[in-house]
């Protein structure tokens, strides 16, 4: 038991360090660095490009689920792109089928996209369906959190400014009273950028674990 714990310690430590760094960097990027104005509460109005802390953990997990090697990196990147494209299709087409307050239009389009996602697995081993679903879910989650732009009229806000945020008719329907209201294109771009960071974090965690393993890993008897 102790031997097994010691064997997993390098990877555990590398993931812990990188996860802490990622959460700090991503939240600071969104609420302090790439921003559009001071909210007056110590935080700033996020710009349209946001780093989504939870999304990176999804692609990070995809990297490990796919084998945690060079091939896994390619699968994680490809599935991240495919999932984001599928989610963008949902955000663009779903509201045209049925908008607020009906959800059946979104449900129908999700069903069609899910069918295509699974059928596309015939393209080859590089196409990793679990990763595609993870990326799709991450993008849709952020779309919901940022106001369901398109489905909810003006859900993404009329403009990414403090003036627009101060007017209920232009603030958008995103979280924190419209602070996170985001147009669908930027939802997809932000999610994909965050997923790519997760792929990179996966690769970095393996490399760092190798370095730590040479120092604290189990010794040959």
């Amino acid at each position: 038991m102790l031997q097994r714990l010691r064997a997993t310690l390098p990877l555990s430590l590398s993931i812990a360090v990188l996860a802490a760094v990622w959460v700090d960097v991503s939240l600071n990027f969104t609420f302090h660095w790439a921003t559009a104005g001071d909210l007056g509460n110590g935080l700033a109005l996020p710009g349209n490009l946001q780093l989504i802390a939870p999304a990176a953990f999804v692609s990070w997990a995809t990297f490990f689920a796919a084998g945690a090697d060079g091939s896994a990196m390619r699968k994680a990147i490809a599935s991240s792109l495919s999932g984001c494209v599928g989610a963008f299709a949902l955000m663009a087409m779903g509201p045209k089928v049925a908008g607020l307050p009906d959800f059946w239009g979104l449900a129908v389009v999700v069903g069609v996209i899910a069918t295509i996602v699974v059928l596309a697995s015939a393209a080859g081993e590089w196409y990793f369906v679990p990763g595609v679903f993870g990326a799709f879910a991450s993008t849709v989650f952020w779309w919901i959190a940022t106001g369901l732009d398109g489905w909810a009229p003006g859900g993404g806000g009329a403009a990414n400014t403090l003036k627009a945020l101060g007017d209920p008719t232009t603030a958008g329907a995103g979280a924190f009273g419209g602070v996170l209201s985001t147009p669908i294109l930027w939802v997809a771009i932000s999610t994909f950028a965050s997923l790519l960071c997760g792929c990179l974090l996966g690769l970095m965690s393996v490399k760092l674990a190798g370095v730590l393993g040479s120092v604290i890993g189990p010794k040959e008897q």
Side-chain angles (χ1 to χ4, degrees), residues 36-40 43-46 159-167 170-171 179:
D38 188 359
L39 292 173
L43 300 174
L45 178 65
N160 189 238
T161 64
L162 292 174
K163 181 179 179 181
L165 181 63
D167 185 343
T170 58
V179 168

Side-chain angles (χ1 to χ4, degrees), residues 19-48:
V21 170
W22 164 249
V23 170
D24 185 63
V25 169
S26 60
L27 293 179
N28 273 293
F29 179 92
T30 300
F31 291 101
H32 288 303
W33 301 338
T35 57
D38 188 359
L39 292 173
N41 61 357
L43 300 174
L45 178 65
N48 281 326

Side-chain angles (χ1 to χ4, degrees), residues 100-167:
L100 187 150
D102 298 314
F103 293 102
W104 66 265
L106 300 181
V108 168
V109 176
V110 165
V112 172
I113 292 173
T115 301
I116 295 172
V117 165
V118 177
L119 287 175
S121 62
E125 293 186 0
W126 62 270
Y127 186 84
F128 192 58
V129 174
V132 177
F133 273 98
F136 179 86
S138 297
T139 310
V140 174
F141 161 78
W142 201 240
W143 182 41
I144 294 171
T146 55
L148 285 165
D149 183 46
W151 180 81
N160 189 238
T161 64
L162 292 174
K163 181 179 179 181
L165 181 63
D167 185 343

